[in-house]
Amino acid sequence: MLAKSDHDHGTPASASTARVSVEIDGRLCEVPAGSSILRAASEAGIGVPKLCATESLEAFGSCRLCLVEVEGMRGYPASCTTPVAAGMKIRTQTPALAKLRRNTMELYISDHPLDCLTCPTNGNCELQDMAGAVGLREVRYGYQGENHLHLEKDQSNPYFTFDSSKCIVCSRCVRACEEVQGTFALTIEGRGFESRVAASAGEAFLESECVSCGACVQACPTATLTENSLIEKGQPEHSVVTTCAYCGVGCSFKAEMKGEEVVRMLPNQDGHANHGHSCVKGRFAFGYATHADRITTPMIRKSIHDAWTEVSWDEALAYAASELKRIAARYGKDALGGITSSRCSNEETYLVQKLVRAGFGNNNVDTCARVCHSPTGYGLKQTLGESAGTQNFDSVDHADVIFVIGANPTDGHPVFASRIKHRLRAGARLIVADPRTINLVRGPHVKADYHLKLKPGTNVGLVNALAHVIVTEGLVNEAFVAARCEAESFETWREFVADAVNSPEALDAITGVPAAEVRAAARLYATGGNAAIYYGLGVTEHSQGSTMVMGIANLAMATGNIGREGVGVNPLRGQNNVQGACDMGSFPHELPGYRHISDTVTRTLFENAWHTTLEPEPGLRIPNMFEAALDGEFKALYVQGEDIAQSDPNTQHVSAALEAMECIIVQDLFLNETAKFAHVFLPGSSFLEKDGTFTNAERRISRIRRVMRPLAGKADWEVTCALSNALGYPMHYAHPSEIMAEIASLTPSFTNVSYEKLDAMGSIQWPCNAQHPHGSPTMHVEEFTRGKGRFMLTAYVPTREKASRKFPLLLTTGRILSQYNVGAQTRRTANSVWHAEDLVEIHPHDAEERGISDGDWVGVASRVGETVLRVHVTPRVQPGVVYTTFHFPESGANVITTDHSDWATNCPEYKVTAVQVTKVAQPSEWQRRYRAFSDEQAKLLAERRPARSDL
Ligand code: SF4
Ligand code: SF4
Ligand code: SF4
Ligand code: FES
């Protein structure tokens, strides 16, 4: 039987380095000062009964089960709330204590259903354990009196049940919601016998403020809060530590299993990124892995208007290879390319880029990071010398000022958002720069000091205004700059930002942020102590995305906020392995480890290892592939784990490019939007079906471990190897650990990384090499990776995408907590209960002007397309701005986004599209065409047939 927590010491560890000696039950123990008696005893291997205490929460002292005797102290203090003192003599086991504990347990049990044998947590219940631990054999009060056994279950939440009749009112759930999650959705209502746990104002869980993170379920010592999957499937038999496959936080989980069936995903207390916390996606939304929509047999077809033919793996791979060869022979090898995925593992991504470079013979490989964080790679490399965030997540505990720019952590990076909120409740100050009022701006016990509500597209103007204040008000950390940064680039930059055109007063008409607020925020950032910047796609997905990243790095360097705990520049990566996909050489111009393909030394290293010759010129980026396809020059694409037809901007342009190709090979779990244009479908495997590693936003490399066999028989890395072999470029690995060994041998920042080391350490933050044998939690400590930090000029250049009379509103996009990216996974789970469609948010003023009411259907038209969505009228967005998400293909959010992109990296400008919004009664023309095409593809899939001999 698996316990919810393997080694729960009852109260959090003390951070003190001082140690004190105490005597417990006659044994001398030395523990950190500030430890509770309960924890000290537990660490000494002495178990004291407890119910309301758990290691992840501050002690509360309500159950009175952990009472002890302390020499010289009157009464029986609760060991969970009593700290040790030097020389204390403690007794945990005496006849008097045993009697007291039995009496307490008797009261609990007398108001508890006697259904242990049929209870879902039977054998894994702390109440049951404690009844045994205190030796309770009878309940003298009987069960006939007043009790709570009649209370109804709340089954509104799709993932867990609240059975109030089993509640012992220990308040662990309430405290977990407050302390760990920071949502404050639960309270104890009533007093004494009437005390009950209530969600929000006595609502059903589903209707309450609860965000289904699962922290309360994990904390509950009884079966009151229980996962539905556990109720349905019974207790798990074994567990495997793995990593969440959703966002860039990279939470560690224990997949608790019954055979090859996941019973539940339990956040790993030892996980370095999440420390035992989770969000609704990683915790509960794993059902997609075994969803009926999974395609588990390879399929091929000649035309996208043909029905699919199911074939064996060998036939599919042979057909794919023959098509690639045919196209290379007819159009030249540059007509081929591949796209890696941030959802796939490092090892898989590495193999895809290797296949393209060595097997296809060109550098036409790109990744979905192109459309999210490519400006991060460019901007941080230019300024700091490394294309990655500078800190670990724990660093936020040392931040005095937290500056969130263009990110919505409570929705996009929920577990880290809880850490931010925790730090804010402890007194850190908050600045938010966002066109929209994100949840962090004002929430329970959290309030931003400044919300710089800028107009979409004016980030660089804002960062220049902040820099202007820092430079002209004498807030530069001159000693840091002199010691750590290039003098010349700094002086040039100082002169540039000091110019009056960059003053907050000159820029407020452009950014829309009052100058006084900019000045105050800049002063706080520069002088408020340790200041840490966390940013997201609201920074990168702009025509000046790379400029803004450099502007952020400039701010951090100028104020000395880099190179130690509590500070830094931290990109919050969207998908689970965005960092890893970039690290692994997915970009057309870079080999693994961010080394340019034109560098002869690096290229020779790879040529020798891969026994081939590599092209020295960068290949095509994704948008260039589309252009080349429409020009008739690019004909074949291998896409692993990405859905470019949904995720990339200007959908109609992307669809036309895909239709223009002769061979599209899609490797995925489902027949996604891109696969509707495919000729070969190779079934993918979910993270539960394979071994490998993901690298999260902190550069933390963590293992994913196989808990079930691949449903289609092959893991994704095996498919890429098989395709390469069929193509004539040999790839032979017995296990992904061998792929990692190859990566480590060729990539300086990974030299010391191995599966053995990952197993031993749990996870490793790169660089991990001779200089940093155990990894690098903080980067640029002594010097920047490039030596001296380089200040870059960041002139504000307005986007070409401008509001006009015809398109007077600016559309910006984002994501929501319950759905994830293109929604392929979360839409196939109960998460859609919270968000079943994409909505467009509009300010009440703009809505009124257009005669639009909440819930109406509206047309959203841009210069490139039009779609129809349901509207939500809310002051969350400012007048002149509308906002939507992109989780459902039929919403067509990307039908309206344009081809404008970042000047340096081509990252699309998703965050600024000029649109008009009007009330409509029917779907858009594109939506009608989309439905017809999707219906046709669904029919062709349903009509799939066994292999034909003429293919
Ligand atoms: S699931 Fe999370 S948010 Fe909901 S009540 Fe429990 S702890 Fe609070
Ligand atoms: S629901 Fe569970 S954790 Fe919450 S008070 Fe009841 S028994 Fe304690
Ligand atoms: S925060 Fe991200 S990594 Fe963690 S459980 Fe949620 S989706 Fe998974
Ligand atoms: S565990 Fe100490 S009072 Fe409950």
Side-chain angles (χ1 to χ4, degrees), residues 424-445:
L424 293 173
R425 291 198 303 276
R429 313 278 301 272
L430 174 67
I431 308 167
V432 172
D434 203 290
R436 196 165 158 263
T437 306
I438 58 169
N439 287 335
L440 266 187
V441 170
R442 186 185 285 271
H445 304 281

Side-chain angles (χ1 to χ4, degrees), residues 23 65 148 203 215-216 222 298 309 387 396 401 470 501 541 565 572 582 657 725 730 753 756 799 823 829:
E23 191 187 297
L65 208 60
H148 299 91
E203 292 158 85
C216 56
T222 66
T309 299
S387 302
V396 77
V401 179
I470 287 165
V501 299
E541 290 176 343
E565 278 195 310
L572 295 174
C582 299
N725 290 327
V753 178
E756 293 72 39
T799 168
T829 68

Side-chain angles (χ1 to χ4, degrees), residues 320 323-324 327-328 332-340 352-357 359-367 586 588 619-622 624-626 628-629 633-640 644 658 661 663-666 723 727:
E323 279 294 278
L324 293 172
I327 289 167
K333 60 180 182 166
D334 290 342
L336 316 180
I339 295 180
T340 72
V352 172
Q353 62 89 33
K354 179 176 177 179
L355 169 63
V356 172
R357 296 185 204 279
F360 292 4
N362 63 43
N363 293 312
N364 292 340
V365 61
D366 209 356
T367 175
S586 294
L620 296 174
R621 297 169 172 182
I622 293 172
N624 308 128
M625 292 182 195
F626 296 151
E633 293 161 7
F634 188 77
K635 292 288 183 185
L637 185 63
Y638 170 40
V639 192
Q640 184 186 71
I644 47 177
L658 294 175
M661 294 186 212
C663 178
I664 294 180
I665 305 164
V666 167
L723 179 59
L727 207 53

Side-chain angles (χ1 to χ4, degrees), residues 99-340:
K99 191 168 172 213
L100 281 170
R101 289 174 186 154
R102 264 200 303 278
N103 284 347
T104 305
M105 276 309 296
E106 216 174 338
L107 286 168
Y108 279 124
I109 298 296
S110 68
D111 190 10
H112 199 82
L114 295 178
D115 61 355
C116 283
L117 283 181
T118 52
C119 177
T121 62
N122 184 24
N124 192 5
C125 168
E126 291 182 45
L127 187 69
Q128 201 178 39
D129 292 346
M130 289 309 124
V134 304
L136 188 68
R137 296 286 171 262
E138 59 167 342
V139 175
R140 290 165 297 165
Y141 310 111
Y143 307 100
Q144 273 67 47
E146 212 179 352
N147 58 43
H148 299 91
L149 306 185
H150 58 283
L151 294 176
E152 298 240 326
K153 291 179 187 171
D154 176 351
Q155 294 175 308
S156 61
N157 188 292
Y159 294 122
F160 58 83
T161 294
F162 176 59
D163 181 353
S164 194
S165 71
K166 295 186 169 169
C167 181
I168 59 170
V169 202
C170 66
S171 186
R172 271 162 67 160
C173 54
V174 178
R175 288 178 283 140
C177 194
E178 293 175 3
E179 294 174 27
V180 180
Q181 166 56 24
T183 292
F184 294 76
L186 302 179
T187 45
I188 303 281
E189 273 187 358
R191 283 165 176 262
F193 182 78
E194 298 304 325
S195 307
R196 288 290 92 191
V197 171
S200 295
E203 292 158 85
F205 265 84
L206 190 63
E207 270 79 54
S208 74
E209 291 142 284
C210 166
V211 293
S212 291
C213 71
C216 56
V217 182
Q218 191 172 5
C220 181
T222 66
T224 312
L225 283 159
T226 310
E227 297 90 346
N228 289 343
S229 59
L230 188 95
I231 295 172
E232 285 156 21
K233 296 174 185 172
Q235 288 287 329
E237 294 158 349
H238 68 281
S239 75
V240 180
V241 173
T242 191
T243 306
C244 178
Y246 280 116
C247 87
V249 178
C251 296
S252 177
F253 278 88
K254 286 183 178 170
E256 294 197 339
M257 309 293 300
K258 220 174 188 174
E260 291 205 348
E261 192 177 24
V262 179
V263 174
R264 66 178 168 187
M265 296 292 281
L266 209 54
N268 182 8
Q269 300 292 343
D270 297 328
H272 298 138
N274 57 320
H275 301 292
H277 192 31
S278 62
C279 83
V280 61
K281 293 188 283 282
R283 176 77 154 98
F284 296 116
F286 53 85
Y288 70 89
T290 48
H291 194 275
D293 286 352
R294 281 284 299 269
I295 296 176
T296 54
T297 308
M299 303 188 298
I300 59 176
R301 60 181 175 178
K302 278 196 169 155
S303 150
I304 65 166
H305 301 295
D306 288 345
W308 287 97
T309 299
E310 289 188 343
V311 291
S312 68
W313 274 109
D314 285 349
E315 283 172 286
L317 293 162
Y319 181 71
S322 72
E323 279 294 278
L324 293 172
K325 283 183 192 163
R326 177 185 68 77
I327 289 167
R330 175 151 180 215
Y331 302 98
K333 60 180 182 166
D334 290 342
L336 316 180
I339 295 180
T340 72

Side-chain angles (χ1 to χ4, degrees), residues 371-373 405-407 535-542 572 574 815 911:
V371 301
C372 68
H373 267 289
I405 312 177
Y535 72 86
L537 303 182
V539 160
T540 55
E541 290 176 343
H542 287 274
L572 295 174
R815 56 174 64 174
K911 303 297 183 191

Side-chain angles (χ1 to χ4, degrees), residues 61-115:
S62 69
C63 75
R64 311 300 294 164
L65 208 60
C66 69
L67 307 184
V68 290
E69 293 176 9
V70 178
E71 202 171 285
M73 234 186 229
R74 285 178 52 189
Y76 303 96
S79 63
C80 62
T81 49
T82 311
V84 290
M88 235 180 199
K89 288 196 166 89
I90 302 149
R91 279 187 300 277
T92 72
Q93 313 293 338
T94 65
L97 289 170
K99 191 168 172 213
L100 281 170
R101 289 174 186 154
R102 264 200 303 278
N103 284 347
T104 305
M105 276 309 296
E106 216 174 338
L107 286 168
Y108 279 124
I109 298 296
S110 68
D111 190 10
H112 199 82
L114 295 178
D115 61 355

